[in-house]
Amino acid sequence: MKLLIPERRRLSGRVVPVTILVRESRTMNREFEARFTAILLALLTVAAVLFAGFNYKIEHQSAIPDDGAWWMERNGHPVADRLEPNGPAERAGIRRGDAVVSINRRAVDTAAAVTRQLYYSGVWSKATYSLIRGSVPLDVEVVLVPAERSMNDWLRLIALIYLGIGLYVLLRRWTAVGSTHFYIFCLVSFVFYSLHYIGKFNAFDWSVFWANEIAWLLQPALFLHFVLTFPERREFISKHRWSIPVLYLPGAVLLGIQVIALEFFKASASLLFNLNRVHWAYLTIFFVSAAAVLWRNYRQATTPILRQQLKWITRGTILAITPFTLFYVLPYLLGVMPSPTMKVSVLSLGLLPLTFGYAIFRYRLMDVDLIFKRGMAYTLAAAAIVGVYFAGVAAIALLVNTRVPSSGPYGLMVAIVVTALLFDPVRKWIQEKLDQFFYRTGYDYRRTLIEFGRELSSETDLDKMLLSLVDRLARTLLVDRIAIFLGNGDSSRFELSKSFGIAHVTGLDLSFLAKPRIEDAVGHIFFENTHQLPRENATAQEAIGRLDLNYYIPCHARQKTIAFLGLGKTMEGDFLSSEDVELLEALAGYIGIAIQNGRLYASLEQKVSEYERLKDFNENIVESINVGVMAVDLQDRIESWNSQMEVMYAQPRWQVVGRSLSEVFPASFVEEFYRVRQNPGIHNLYKFRLVTPIGESRIVNVAMAPLVTRKFNVVGRLVIMDDITERIELEVQLTQADKLSSIGLLAAGVAHEVNTPLAVISSYTQMLAKQLQSDPQKAGLLEKITKQTFRASEIVNNLLNFSRTTGTELTEVSLNKVIADTLALLEHQFKVAHIQVQSEFYESLPLIQGNAGRLQQVFLNLFLNAKDAMSGGGVLNVATLNGEFVSVRVADTGSGIAQENIQRIYDPFFTTKTSPEEGQNRGTGLGLSVTYGIIQEHAGNIRVESRPGEGTTFTLDFPLIRKAVHV
């Protein structure tokens, strides 16, 4: 914490010399730590290799005797707990549960004593076992065989893989993040898998035992520690520094228990077996935890490179741990003795270093650099600088010692240190200049690569990005020809996308880019002579020759080749250098990702466009339907309001969107909405009377449904309103029309029944008139009765004719007669309404082609409308005319028709008699509509002239009957 204070002072502009000294001190400490670590690791590696080699030698020189039984201490004697199938003990007749008392007449009381007696006897010797089976003593002879140790060789192979991978990473990039930690893990794993004690338990065997034990307990903690801090330290680890030491605490505790059990207590075979099971459980738990951490890091990796790196080590770790855990550790924890199948599963642990090795070689895990191309020149230059540097230091130190001899050896040491500190900045400056001299092109290329990375990651337009790429490469590498070939979705076909220095070429067969090649392992395809290609087919030779490109560098993304970068020679006609090709191969990865991103962005834009089009389409549907649609959020605020809602509710969209439902609609509707909203599902309100803000009363059918997302989360309510006001009015009018029809049928029945008494009255009146001819006074009365009877009969017959259903066939009809009959039918009504009828019939009016019944209905409608329009009485003028057409004019002196209603009088159900006066009926709006239809059936025409307060005149024109002329 104290070292941070001078740094802050330096930033504020003070105490600069102290900060520099602190920095230099830190640098020297880091260099000392690096050298010390390197020396220590080198010594440990050499010691481990020598130790493992000596252990291997002793193991193969010594034959370890085995009796095929596992002895456990019980009741003071070793008892056969498990027997190897068809092993020496089983063949000799030993059974599970047999207690051994002595071997070769030497008493044994522990499993360790049994092992010592086996070594005394030796391999292939007969050992006499004194047993107690139940309570019966017996002796058996067991032929001891060499112990099976072939699995140890396979484990040593795994150990060598670990050591090789660790050394490769450490030597190729000493300063890489995590390289030292990874190597320590590999070295510990080497010790764990390569050292195996043979059971003699001499000084060397005990050393092997404890080295293996320590490595066993240290390896899982090291691996979990590594995955928690690589490629970057986890946030939890950074906040809680104590968590790393805690990882090593369980292993330390288990090691302490092992030491106490062996050194201070006489550990039994059962205790050691249980301790081994605890060790294996500890190892499995830590490795499974490490695999889980790696899987989590892989799923959360944000960059494709990091994801590729972690993919292989994650999968390899899981594949290495799973078989070993399932087939060895779990059975062993359950008390099962290691069988050959269980031992084979241990080999899966070799996948762990192999996977790390593949990831390092394939994806340059831990940033392993390539070998320097000019290492020799740089080494010589660096050696020269070092020589000059140390020569200068020695010369100054000697000068100080000569001029001040009294300083002695201490003065010489002080002079060396001070001179080294003063000359170190000079050395660094010279070294930096040499780096720039030897690697000037590499430095420029790296700056270009950084600019490329920025441009490629910032440009989302694929076409612009490729143009910029071609232009920058042409200017940087000074090549004469550049081309970019883009692949299709499955990379089975490539097409020329952008180029520089290549004439317009078409019809090229670029299938040679899609086929697998041996050069794929190299990283690029190279054609030294583009016109001599004996290995290519004819179409490929033509394409390569016309393109004249020497290098084809694949651009990968998501493990697929999505493009090729083609380049020719330089402007001087030379091939590209190896550094140029390596730079382009590194750049190809960025290009592939940029192309993939450009395609994804274009696809995203297309999907956004389709989404907008679909959104507009859906909105158009909502706007076009003839029902009101309204969306309400969970806070009952209106979010959507279609055009039909605007028309029906007389409120524009901008006035209601965003407002609360209670602010827009009347309380009656809001109350119903709140009532049904509490219940799930769809709810309906039928024939709900809704009052609009302008005072209109609309009758609507309302449907309320929950508004849900694709994941069925409720985000609001959807309200659909269907305005049925006109439909309800239509239903009322149809009901009225049906009633009128029923009344017509009733009237027809009544008229028919009235005809009978009228006929009787008429007959008897005529009979009386004949008998009373001599009495003029009574004869006159009877004559009047007879006339009135005939008149009543005529009225009844007209009513029958009107109500009778007539056919649609047309015959020759006299309009004068039809009009006269209709007027006679309404004579009484006109008299009651004080209406004077003036008829002007054209005597020689031609006949027309028509239907008398339907025409009578036309005139009846017109006469009744005229009567209703003259509520206070008036004059009805009916005239027939002859001319180009047979015409009828019906004029009244009533109230007239308003100009705005003239165009609507023929519309069905349009009526102005919504508030009828006394003696009038409410209009149905069907009279003139039916009249217009009948006139059209007769090929006629109807016209109207009206002014408010001046009456109305209807003119009907019917065509003349044209008869054929016979010559």
Side-chain angles (χ1 to χ4, degrees), residues 668-788:
S668 58
F669 176 78
V670 176
E671 181 180 352
E672 290 293 331
F673 178 81
Y674 287 159
R675 181 180 62 82
V676 301
R677 186 189 61 175
Q678 307 301 326
N679 302 319
I682 301 174
H683 303 276
N684 296 286
L685 301 177
Y686 294 104
K687 294 184 180 180
F688 183 82
R689 188 169 296 276
L690 184 67
V691 181
T692 65
I694 61 175
E696 290 184 352
S697 179
R698 315 295 295 181
I699 300 176
V700 294
N701 285 338
V702 184
M704 303 177 188
L707 187 62
V708 297
T709 63
R710 289 187 176 182
K711 296 183 178 180
F712 301 100
N713 296 323
V714 179
V715 295
R717 282 277 181 179
L718 188 66
V719 181
I720 301 175
M721 294 187 179
D722 185 9
D723 186 1
I724 60 172
T725 305
E726 295 182 357
R727 192 188 311 165
I728 293 296
E729 293 178 356
L730 176 61
E731 290 175 357
V732 172
Q733 293 168 358
L734 289 176
T735 303
Q736 182 67 21
D738 187 56
K739 289 181 180 179
L740 291 176
S741 177
S742 300
I743 292 173
L745 293 176
L746 180 61
V750 171
H752 183 75
E753 293 298 327
V754 168
N755 263 337
T756 301
L758 285 177
V760 173
I761 294 172
S762 176
S763 299
Y764 282 113
T765 302
Q766 292 177 20
M767 290 172 62
L768 285 175
K770 289 180 179 181
Q771 294 176 5
L772 297 176
Q773 289 181 358
S774 60
D775 190 348
Q777 183 178 2
K778 293 180 180 179
L781 293 174
L782 291 173
E783 185 179 357
K784 288 181 180 180
I785 293 173
T786 302
K787 288 181 179 180
Q788 293 303 319

Side-chain angles (χ1 to χ4, degrees), residues 507-518:
L508 294 179
D509 183 9
L510 301 177
S511 58
F512 69 93
L513 294 174
K515 70 177 184 179
R517 294 174 173 272
I518 302 176

Side-chain angles (χ1 to χ4, degrees), residues 68-288:
W70 192 340
W71 302 97
M72 306 287 285
E73 293 88 353
R74 293 175 189 169
N75 300 323
H77 295 285
V79 177
D81 186 73
R82 294 177 181 83
L83 299 175
E84 181 182 345
N86 201 28
E90 189 177 70
R91 289 196 300 267
I94 298 178
R95 301 177 185 176
R96 290 185 60 181
D98 290 351
V100 60
V101 178
S102 63
I103 300 177
N104 293 332
R105 307 304 177 183
R106 295 186 181 94
V108 291
D109 56 353
T110 63
V114 173
T115 302
R116 285 194 296 269
Q117 293 303 320
L118 295 181
Y119 275 95
Y120 291 150
S121 301
V123 177
W124 303 119
S125 63
K126 290 184 179 180
T128 302
Y129 281 59
S130 297
L131 305 175
I132 297 178
R133 180 174 297 167
S135 58
V136 179
L138 70 156
D139 293 338
V140 296
E141 288 187 352
V142 180
V143 178
L144 304 180
V145 298
E148 174 63 32
R149 294 177 297 176
S150 60
M151 185 56 63
N152 291 350
D153 294 335
W154 290 105
L155 294 176
R156 288 188 174 94
L157 177 60
I158 297 175
L160 290 175
I161 294 174
Y162 268 104
L163 185 61
I165 296 298
L167 286 173
Y168 177 84
V169 173
L170 190 68
L171 297 178
R172 293 297 295 271
R173 190 59 184 260
W174 168 266
T175 59
V177 177
S179 60
T180 304
H181 189 159
F182 180 72
Y183 178 73
I184 294 174
F185 165 72
C186 292
L187 182 61
V188 170
S189 300
F190 170 79
V191 173
F192 176 50
Y193 293 114
S194 63
L195 297 183
H196 305 279
Y197 64 92
I198 60 178
K200 288 185 177 182
F201 292 107
N202 51 22
F204 179 79
D205 211 25
W206 276 112
S207 300
V208 171
F209 174 83
W210 285 115
N212 180 268
E213 191 72 17
I214 294 172
W216 189 357
L217 298 174
L218 191 59
Q219 184 202 29
L222 281 171
F223 187 66
L224 183 56
H225 181 186
F226 176 76
V227 300
L228 285 173
T229 56
F230 179 81
E232 58 185 5
R233 189 181 294 269
R234 305 273 78 77
E235 183 178 358
F236 178 83
I237 302 299
S238 301
K239 290 182 179 179
H240 305 86
R241 300 277 183 175
W242 50 266
S243 57
I244 294 300
V246 169
L247 295 177
Y248 297 87
L249 184 60
V253 172
L254 291 177
L255 181 63
I257 295 174
Q258 188 84 2
V259 171
I260 293 173
L262 293 177
E263 295 295 329
F264 299 97
F265 298 94
K266 190 176 181 181
S268 64
S270 177
L271 177 60
L272 292 178
F273 173 69
N274 291 328
L275 284 176
N276 284 339
R277 290 201 293 179
V278 173
H279 286 16
W280 282 119
Y282 155 78
L283 181 142
T284 304
I285 292 172
F286 270 57
F287 268 94
V288 170

